[in-house]
Amino acid sequence: MKIFNTINEFNLAKENLTNLTFVPTMGNLHAGHTSLIDFAKETGNIVISTIYVNKLQFNDINDFNNYPKTLNNDIKLLEDHGCDYLLIPDKSILENIASIKAPTKSQKLCGKNRPGHFDGVLTILKKLFDIIEPKIVVFGMKDYQQFIIVKDFINNNNLNINIIGLKTIRETSGLALSSRNNLLSTKNKNLASILYQTLKDIETNKVSICPDLLNLKIDYLNSCGFKVDYLTSCDEESLEECFDIHNKNLLLAVAASIGGVRLIDNIVLTKL
Ligand code: PAF
């Protein structure tokens, strides 16, 4: 794998790099990320990944400072999965960066308590798209809202990029893989699987999905030691609250902290 440690270095080589499939990351890679690389390889394109912990998308400086950094291990994982290029942007990425304001759906779900988060995500991704000019970009669907917001951005700006979202990879307990799982104590990691179990439990009872059912589940999660940020059923595209399972698929999404570690998860409930 060829590693570019600066954007300048990448730009010098770029002429020869066409047909790229891009997997953007913030590092601390796990099987969720490598599943994206594996898929990217199947596209038949050259695969490029980036590792950049994007300060612009953190609204809590401690969260940013504590973000796990495991560069040597990340490089090994990328190499093992056949990634062709890794760009580790230097701070020049922020020079003359155009700030992007995410649309109103960015204020729902995770955006409610993380103001500016999706502005930061779009701002850095637009810059990375301009630098890399990928044909395909691959994301994990654990960050469902991120996927929808980036997909809309690509479509609304007629960017010539095909965006692909891949299913969440889970531990056997059901816990969605996340870099943040490394910050959980063993006890809280065991408890954390309750989040997915709760989503699946609601799925089993989806015929009666309603605000009261979700409120009961929020109370239950809080009683297990979580601090629930949201547990919502909404339209898959607009992310507007919706319970109309007879007429459309619904996104069931949750964000909750345990031991100060914020976790998110979601499943799609197929219409009845
Ligand atoms: O999902 C992530 O890891 C980040 O939000 C991304 C897409 C790499 C942008 O910084």
Side-chain angles (χ1 to χ4, degrees):
M1 180 174 71
K2 167 96 182 116
I3 301 177
F4 301 102
N5 284 297
T6 65
I7 292 169
N8 212 14
E9 253 181 66
F10 176 78
N11 283 338
L12 292 173
K14 185 170 161 181
E15 220 180 295
N16 307 314
L17 301 179
T18 47
N19 288 337
L20 296 176
T21 295
F22 174 33
V23 180
T25 85
M26 297 206 298
N28 195 236
L29 305 185
H30 50 65
H33 297 104
T34 56
S35 75
L36 306 183
I37 300 286
D38 293 343
F39 175 85
K41 291 295 287 180
E42 283 172 26
T43 63
N45 285 348
I46 291 173
V47 176
I48 180 163
S49 188
T50 51
I51 294 181
Y52 183 70
V53 185
N54 173 28
K55 199 170 179 177
L56 303 175
Q57 70 189 71
F58 285 81
N59 28 21
D60 175 352
I61 189 71
N62 288 327
D63 198 16
F64 171 71
N65 289 333
N66 292 335
Y67 202 82
K69 290 171 194 68
T70 51
L71 186 59
N72 290 339
N73 192 52
D74 294 348
I75 290 174
K76 182 162 184 328
L77 275 176
L78 290 171
E79 272 175 343
D80 288 351
H81 286 260
C83 184
D84 299 292
Y85 296 100
L86 170 62
L87 168 61
I88 306 173
D90 56 306
K91 58 180 190 303
S92 75
I93 192 168
L94 297 176
E95 279 166 17
N96 301 320
I97 195 162
S99 295
I100 292 172
K101 187 97 197 81
T104 45
K105 68 174 80 163
S106 69
Q107 284 149 32
K108 301 180 185 304
L109 309 182
C110 286
K112 265 195 199 142
N113 285 328
R114 302 187 74 189
H117 168 69
F118 290 109
D119 300 346
V121 170
L122 286 183
T123 299
I124 210 71
L125 282 175
K126 174 67 169 71
K127 187 75 182 260
L128 288 169
F129 291 164
D130 288 346
I131 296 165
I132 293 172
E133 299 185 77
K135 292 278 188 300
I136 301 175
V137 65
V138 187
F139 290 91
M141 292 305 265
K142 181 172 77 68
D143 297 295
Y144 186 101
Q145 188 177 14
Q146 168 171 279
F147 175 80
I148 292 287
I149 288 171
V150 178
K151 175 172 78 68
D152 288 356
F153 181 80
I154 287 176
N155 290 339
N156 295 339
N157 291 282
N158 298 316
L159 304 186
N160 195 12
I161 305 174
N162 183 5
I163 178 168
I164 295 173
L166 297 181
K167 77 170 195 323
T168 303
I169 305 292
R170 302 181 178 280
E171 303 220 351
T172 35
S173 69
L175 175 64
L177 293 194
S178 162
S179 301
R180 289 168 195 266
N181 294 354
N182 293 337
L183 303 171
L184 294 168
S185 65
T186 313
K187 177 171 165 260
N188 285 343
K189 195 167 176 192
N190 287 332
L191 284 173
S193 61
I194 296 176
L195 279 185
Y196 181 62
Q197 288 159 20
T198 303
L199 297 180
K200 293 302 277 181
D201 196 43
I202 296 168
E203 184 178 40
T204 309
N205 297 304
K206 67 182 177 182
V207 63
S208 44
I209 191 159
C210 64
D212 282 350
L213 175 64
L214 297 193
N215 285 334
L216 274 177
K217 296 295 181 188
I218 291 173
D219 290 345
Y220 169 67
L221 288 171
N222 286 333
S223 75
C224 294
F226 291 94
K227 234 174 119 226
V228 176
D229 180 358
Y230 63 79
L231 170 63
T232 309
S233 167
C234 57
D235 180 274
E236 279 181 298
E237 283 294 324
S238 70
L239 308 181
E240 296 281 355
E241 189 176 58
C242 180
F243 297 94
D244 191 7
I245 190 71
H246 290 278
N247 284 310
K248 53 177 156 181
N249 291 350
L250 298 174
L251 173 75
L252 182 65
V254 65
S257 305
I258 186 144
V261 181
R262 189 173 187 279
L263 302 172
I264 59 173
D265 203 351
N266 68 78
I267 58 174
V268 171
L269 307 177
T270 46
K271 78 170 182 166
L272 289 170

